[in-house]
Amino acid sequence: MSQPLRLGIAGLGTVGTGVVKIVQQHAALLSARCGRPITISAVSARTRHKERGVDLSTYGWEDDPVALAKRDDVDVVVELMGGEDGPAKASTEAALHACKDVVTANKAMLAVHGQELAELAEANGCVLRYEAAVAGGIPVVKALTEGLAGNKVTRIMGVMNGTCNYILTRMEKAGLSYDEVFKEASDLGYLEADPTLDVGGIDAGHKLALLSAVAFGTKVNFDGVHLEGIDRITIEDINRASDMGFRVKLLGVAQMTGRGLVQRMTPCLVPKGSPLGRLERATNMVVIEGDSCGQIVLRGAGAGEGPTASAVMSDVIDIARGLRMPVFGQPATSLADAPAATSAAPAPFYLRLSLLDKPGALAKIATTLGDVGVSIDRMRQYGHAEGSAPVLIVTHKTTRDALDQALSRFDATGVLAEQPVAIRIEEV
Amino acid sequence: MSQPLRLGIAGLGTVGTGVVKIVQQHAALLSARCGRPITISAVSARTRHKERGVDLSTYGWEDDPVALAKRDDVDVVVELMGGEDGPAKASTEAALHACKDVVTANKAMLAVHGQELAELAEANGCVLRYEAAVAGGIPVVKALTEGLAGNKVTRIMGVMNGTCNYILTRMEKAGLSYDEVFKEASDLGYLEADPTLDVGGIDAGHKLALLSAVAFGTKVNFDGVHLEGIDRITIEDINRASDMGFRVKLLGVAQMTGRGLVQRMTPCLVPKGSPLGRLERATNMVVIEGDSCGQIVLRGAGAGEGPTASAVMSDVIDIARGLRMPVFGQPATSLADAPAATSAAPAPFYLRLSLLDKPGALAKIATTLGDVGVSIDRMRQYGHAEGSAPVLIVTHKTTRDALDQALSRFDATGVLAEQPVAIRIEEV
């Protein structure tokens, strides 16, 4: 075990340079903890000559990450390029075919090709690790795969896209519209090149799909994640929800039910006073509920050079220490298919309606809800100057189906001034 | 790896029966996750015939845990008896001498004999694991030893005694005195047989000493933990601190400084709005700060059958999976001595004074503080009916030495109606 573990790093963006820094600055500490040195043999990136704030001069260089993966002096390929296909997948496959271990931060690649790559890795006796793919610096993959492995997981919840949480909390604090804060976030460089990955919930959905696979022993099923972005959340909903004691979060929920696997990444309301409700700015939080452990909450930075590099290094260190595990906590060939649940579990909902100023308007709404079996927990009508009145309703637990029925019948009442807004309230 | 991993469980209290339940109820899940079954060969406890709510009839029985540890059909000894010496230590040593792995929840034994036991384990090629010894169901030992192993840890903080946190939050909520809530907690069975272990901070101090060893690569040094219990915290301090925006917590802090290793388990004030400040009832929280990961917060149940058994099982599962590590994250023989810091880092302090109703009283106090170089951040004097006025002071950062100088000079001013109270404010 005193042979060095030799890394090949593919991708030298923020996270890649962060990893180089840790390997360089903490050589003694890593060697003490692993019982062997961790070294870098070679690196690869799109642009060779670029100021990155780290000295790469002693490392080999490869223009092609696939060539990097095949080098004889590389034991572990650290894939930090991103993208679900292309060079990331090609170099990962090349490494696994050459029986080399792979550490990646690539949630998209694993969410889409995780099963295939895990089978390839395990057939070749390799490990494929991805702590950095989920919730940045929070060691949540390890917590779930190992630390809580004695539990039947009953639910996972997570705020796992820092940009969305930044946008939502900034809207509330500053009283700004979605578009205004979106522009701010964009100017600050917080958004992915394709912002839909963030605000459309796709990036967070990838992460949820990975956690689900581990939690429930099922094949990664990203297509089964019900996705809804935050782009339709208005400052009015944020403020009204706050009045009713809630905060809006882009919340991931995964649960195995009798109806199949529920995986949702959608805007939800959570109680203001709950750990999730209190989560501010770009911080991430993952809540894991197990039959023995109860509720475990993990909180930390979900992105950034240091936190993500820290997660990458935890995988590298495990490999250096000889800690080897199946990709999703049990052999990939033993993972079950995970049919998506056909309907979500009942929940209370928040409804925001704008009622025309007509006698009996509220009664019609209440009657319609009653007709489809949706009962009202709390209702609040606001004073108004114009021709329509804002009305907020918090329902008792109901199915989304019943609620959709009510929403479709509202049209026929002729008392709505605008399209109603309905947001699920997650019981945390 | 398809041979079963055979446990011998010594101690069948709450945690022991919890472990038996998980092994029995989750046999298929554990086998899938570990690639081999986990079975129980034999058990040991003080009383054999006692209703425990689990069927033990198929397991061997040993009156003597040392005999249990030596059984040929036991691969791993699960030590859940407690106590820093006696049968716990004897059976742990017997197991390690017989080259068997040990999983324990025994913080006292490890805090006192950790170095010696770790050396014994490692000399015999065994692992000795203790996830359940720290913060119940929260997988914090794993997070620190593995998940954040790429970091130089800069600080660890933790509320790790649920009973103390229950007492402090209950005092505030119900407006009850320490003695009243202590009695309640005692009646509810929340206290250890020797309550000093809880309220004196000893139990939490044991946990902190274990985390320090892993975090800083030092020999466990429980004697170096500066301990102060919660028994002198009054409802008045809780209320006054709350007025100033703080909550009182029994807070553990470990930090490596130029002056040595700081390990404190003392009542501290933390901002009400911080994750630590918001921690209610018996919940535990550990905050780990690293140079790359930033601040990671872990929260969950710190005690109880399910959570503690969950932690025990995570160690058992690691062993079943073949994941083997040095006890404190690096070889025990390589751990450094950890001289205790001779003085604590400067911090702001909360001072509660009761001033006699004399002209110039407050001026004398302020002058005394100024004379020793302690400057005042905020001050509040309360209205009063009797002969003395409550005064609260929040100082700027100062050393405990300077503060102690001030406190000793206060006597000479002749304006104090009572002994002053000083509590450190931890910057979280």
Side-chain angles (χ1 to χ4, degrees):
Chain A
M1 287 287 275
S2 56
Q3 286 296 311
L5 183 80
R6 301 164 304 171
L7 310 182
I9 300 177
L12 290 171
T14 316
V15 181
T17 49
V19 170
V20 172
K21 284 180 195 167
I22 294 180
V23 171
Q24 291 180 350
Q25 291 165 9
H26 287 335
L29 182 142
L30 293 171
S31 184
R33 289 181 180 165
C34 300
R36 60 197 290 203
I38 292 174
T39 60
I40 296 170
S41 295
V43 297
S44 171
R46 258 182 300 210
T47 316
R48 178 160 190 178
H49 299 289
K50 183 172 162 181
E51 185 41 49
R52 295 187 167 94
V54 287
D55 178 9
L56 304 171
S57 62
T58 59
Y59 309 146
W61 175 269
E62 298 287 350
D63 288 318
D64 176 8
V66 172
L68 180 91
K70 291 179 176 168
R71 282 175 70 114
D72 287 337
D73 61 355
V74 165
D75 302 314
V76 177
V77 174
V78 181
E79 187 284 298
L80 302 171
M81 295 174 289
E84 66 184 66
D85 292 293
K89 182 154 182 263
S91 58
T92 298
E93 286 172 337
L96 297 174
H97 279 299
C99 297
K100 293 173 201 283
D101 297 329
V102 175
V103 172
T104 180
N106 193 329
K107 55 222 79 161
M109 177 177 75
L110 288 179
V112 177
H113 305 295
Q115 181 63 23
E116 169 197 342
L117 292 172
E119 288 183 18
L120 174 60
E122 291 167 23
N124 286 291
C126 301
V127 298
L128 167 58
R129 303 289 302 256
Y130 52 93
E131 184 62 81
V134 183
I138 307 174
V140 59
V141 174
K142 186 172 273 286
L144 190 61
T145 318
E146 304 171 31
L148 304 172
N151 289 268
K152 180 171 185 288
V153 174
T154 49
R155 182 169 63 161
I156 292 177
M157 293 185 290
V159 170
M160 298 188 282
N161 183 284
T163 305
C164 288
N165 204 55
Y166 169 83
I167 291 176
L168 293 170
T169 53
R170 172 89 181 129
M171 283 170 73
E172 178 168 1
K173 284 250 152 102
L176 294 171
S177 73
Y178 174 80
D179 290 335
E180 286 167 305
V181 178
F182 180 88
K183 189 172 174 315
E184 266 187 21
S186 178
D187 292 345
L188 289 164
Y190 284 8
L191 287 159
E192 302 265 357
D194 173 6
T196 322
L197 287 175
D198 285 316
V199 298
I202 298 168
D203 165 84
H206 287 149
K207 296 167 184 169
L208 187 71
L210 296 177
L211 294 183
S212 288
V214 176
F216 306 113
T218 50
K219 291 179 184 158
V220 189
N221 180 7
F222 172 63
D223 289 339
V225 181
H226 175 66
L227 288 179
E228 213 179 289
I230 61 163
D231 48 321
R232 292 178 53 215
I233 299 295
T234 63
I235 178 67
E236 180 165 11
D237 284 314
I238 287 176
N239 290 335
R240 299 298 189 205
S242 177
D243 282 359
M244 303 293 268
F246 298 105
R247 286 233 161 77
V248 185
K249 296 289 170 193
L250 179 67
L251 186 70
V253 179
Q255 239 174 329
M256 184 58 79
T257 71
R259 306 174 315 285
L261 177 62
V262 172
Q263 296 182 98
R264 283 183 280 119
M265 183 57 69
T266 61
C268 284
L269 299 191
V270 295
K272 269 179 166 178
S274 64
L276 283 163
R278 287 160 169 168
L279 197 67
E280 306 246 310
R281 302 183 59 86
T283 316
N284 280 19
M285 180 173 284
V286 182
V287 178
I288 302 173
E289 293 172 351
D291 62 345
S292 292
C293 64
Q295 190 183 71
I296 301 288
V297 180
L298 311 171
R299 177 182 181 280
E305 176 182 310
T308 314
S310 162
V312 168
M313 287 309 298
S314 87
D315 286 338
V316 168
I317 291 165
D318 271 7
I319 293 171
R321 281 169 163 167
L323 309 182
R324 305 181 70 77
M325 286 256 306
V327 181
F328 294 107
Q330 63 183 71
T333 51
S334 75
L335 295 166
D337 282 310
T342 44
S343 62
F349 278 82
Y350 154 99
L351 285 178
R352 178 168 61 81
L353 309 169
S354 183
L355 296 195
L356 293 173
D357 223 346
K358 293 182 179 175
L362 195 56
K364 283 187 183 162
I365 292 300
T367 306
T368 307
L369 286 170
D371 287 348
V372 299
V374 175
S375 72
I376 296 173
D377 176 24
R378 287 187 285 152
M379 201 273 297
R380 192 172 290 183
Q381 174 162 347
Y382 289 82
H384 53 289
E386 298 145 38
S388 66
V391 170
L392 297 189
I393 294 172
V394 172
T395 73
H396 281 292
K397 268 194 188 181
T398 177
T399 63
R400 180 76 216 196
D401 288 348
L403 195 77
D404 283 342
Q405 258 190 293
L407 292 174
S408 69
R409 291 191 192 184
F410 282 166
D411 270 347
T413 61
V415 300
L416 286 187
E418 282 173 32
Q419 272 298 99
V421 171
I423 307 177
R424 185 183 173 96
I425 299 172
E426 191 70 24
E427 295 184 308
V428 302
Chain B
M1 286 286 276
S2 56
Q3 287 295 312
L5 184 80
R6 301 165 303 172
L7 311 182
I9 301 177
L12 290 170
T14 316
V15 182
T17 48
V19 170
V20 172
K21 284 182 196 166
I22 295 180
V23 171
Q24 291 181 350
Q25 290 164 9
H26 287 335
L29 182 142
L30 294 170
S31 183
R33 289 182 180 166
C34 301
R36 61 196 290 201
I38 292 174
T39 60
I40 297 170
S41 296
V43 296
S44 171
R46 257 182 301 209
T47 316
R48 178 160 190 177
H49 298 290
K50 182 172 162 182
E51 185 41 49
R52 295 186 167 93
V54 286
D55 177 9
L56 304 171
S57 61
T58 59
Y59 309 145
W61 175 269
E62 298 286 349
D63 287 317
D64 176 7
V66 172
L68 180 91
K70 292 180 177 168
R71 281 175 71 114
D72 286 338
D73 60 356
V74 166
D75 302 313
V76 177
V77 174
V78 181
E79 187 284 297
L80 302 170
M81 295 174 290
E84 66 184 65
D85 291 293
K89 183 154 182 263
S91 58
T92 298
E93 287 172 338
L96 297 175
H97 279 300
C99 297
K100 293 174 201 282
D101 297 329
V102 175
V103 172
T104 179
N106 193 329
K107 55 222 78 161
M109 178 177 76
L110 288 178
V112 177
H113 305 295
Q115 180 65 22
E116 170 197 340
L117 292 172
E119 288 183 19
L120 174 60
E122 291 167 23
N124 286 292
C126 302
V127 298
L128 167 59
R129 303 289 302 257
Y130 51 92
E131 184 63 81
V134 184
I138 306 175
V140 59
V141 175
K142 185 171 273 285
L144 190 61
T145 318
E146 305 171 30
L148 303 172
N151 290 267
K152 181 170 184 289
V153 174
T154 48
R155 181 169 62 163
I156 292 178
M157 293 184 289
V159 170
M160 298 188 283
N161 182 283
T163 305
C164 288
N165 204 54
Y166 169 82
I167 291 176
L168 293 171
T169 54
R170 172 89 180 130
M171 283 170 73
E172 178 169 1
K173 282 253 152 98
L176 295 171
S177 73
Y178 174 81
D179 290 335
E180 287 168 304
V181 178
F182 180 89
K183 191 172 173 314
E184 266 187 20
S186 179
D187 292 346
L188 288 164
Y190 285 8
L191 288 160
E192 302 265 357
D194 172 5
T196 321
L197 288 175
D198 285 317
V199 299
I202 298 169
D203 164 85
H206 287 149
K207 296 168 184 170
L208 186 71
L210 296 178
L211 293 182
S212 289
V214 176
F216 306 113
T218 49
K219 292 179 185 159
V220 189
N221 180 6
F222 171 63
D223 288 338
V225 181
H226 174 66
L227 288 179
E228 212 179 291
I230 60 164
D231 49 321
R232 291 179 53 214
I233 299 296
T234 63
I235 179 67
E236 179 164 14
D237 284 314
I238 287 176
N239 290 336
R240 298 298 189 204
S242 177
D243 282 358
M244 304 294 268
F246 298 105
R247 286 232 161 77
V248 184
K249 297 288 168 193
L250 178 68
L251 186 70
V253 179
Q255 240 174 329
M256 183 59 79
T257 71
R259 306 174 316 283
L261 177 62
V262 172
Q263 296 181 98
R264 282 183 279 120
M265 182 57 69
T266 61
C268 283
L269 299 190
V270 296
K272 269 178 165 179
S274 65
L276 283 163
R278 286 162 170 166
L279 197 67
E280 306 246 311
R281 302 182 58 87
T283 316
N284 280 20
M285 180 173 285
V286 182
V287 179
I288 302 172
E289 294 172 351
D291 62 346
S292 292
C293 65
Q295 189 183 71
I296 302 287
V297 179
L298 311 171
R299 176 183 181 280
E305 176 182 310
T308 314
S310 163
V312 169
M313 287 309 298
S314 87
D315 286 338
V316 168
I317 291 166
D318 271 7
I319 293 171
R321 282 169 162 166
L323 309 182
R324 304 180 72 79
M325 288 257 306
V327 180
F328 295 107
Q330 63 184 71
T333 50
S334 76
L335 296 167
D337 283 309
T342 45
S343 62
F349 279 81
Y350 155 99
L351 286 177
R352 179 167 62 82
L353 309 169
S354 182
L355 296 195
L356 293 174
D357 224 346
K358 292 183 178 175
L362 194 55
K364 282 188 182 160
I365 291 299
T367 307
T368 307
L369 286 169
D371 286 349
V372 297
V374 174
S375 72
I376 296 174
D377 176 24
R378 289 186 284 152
M379 202 273 297
R380 193 171 289 183
Q381 175 163 345
Y382 290 82
H384 54 289
E386 297 145 40
S388 67
V391 171
L392 297 189
I393 293 173
V394 172
T395 73
H396 282 292
K397 268 193 188 181
T398 177
T399 62
R400 179 78 215 197
D401 288 349
L403 196 76
D404 284 342
Q405 260 191 290
L407 292 173
S408 68
R409 291 190 190 184
F410 282 167
D411 271 348
T413 61
V415 299
L416 286 187
E418 282 172 33
Q419 272 298 100
V421 172
I423 308 177
R424 185 183 172 96
I425 299 173
E426 191 68 26
E427 296 184 306
V428 302

